[in-house]
Amino acid sequence: MAVLRESPWYNEIEQRGIQQGARRQLIRVLEQRFGEIPHEVEVRFEGESVEKLENLMDSAIAVNSLDEFVSILSI
């Protein structure tokens, strides 16, 4: 198992899992605050780093509307 954890593939898979989890949480927060989120907005989160998704989560919590969030997302 230790050899597996040192594998670059293992690290990549683990990082993707963390990234997907952060993406799901961001979508969940947006849906809880603003209702259904347009698919176009969700697609824009794909491939973003965990750090970027965490920053977007902070914005999702702070903004007053989905339009305001989308304007931040466009920057």
Side-chain angles (χ1 to χ4, degrees):
M1 190 68 174
V3 171
L4 179 61
R5 286 192 178 126
E6 294 173 11
S7 163
W9 289 355
Y10 179 87
N11 291 331
E12 184 177 333
I13 292 168
E14 183 178 53
Q15 187 63 29
R16 282 188 194 172
I18 293 168
Q19 183 181 26
Q20 287 175 350
R23 182 177 175 268
R24 279 193 306 269
Q25 289 295 70
L26 175 56
I27 291 167
R28 185 167 184 234
V29 166
L30 288 168
E31 288 176 340
Q32 288 292 315
R33 294 206 61 217
F34 307 116
E36 188 174 341
I37 304 302
H39 181 70
E40 298 79 32
V41 172
E42 290 184 31
V43 169
R44 295 181 64 184
F45 304 146
E46 291 178 10
E48 293 290 356
S49 70
V50 172
E51 181 181 3
K52 173 73 175 187
L53 292 168
E54 288 173 346
N55 289 336
L56 289 171
M57 177 74 78
D58 292 342
S59 296
I61 293 168
V63 297
N64 294 314
S65 69
L66 183 58
D67 288 337
E68 186 178 352
F69 178 80
V70 170
S71 71
I72 290 170
L73 187 58
S74 299
I75 297 175

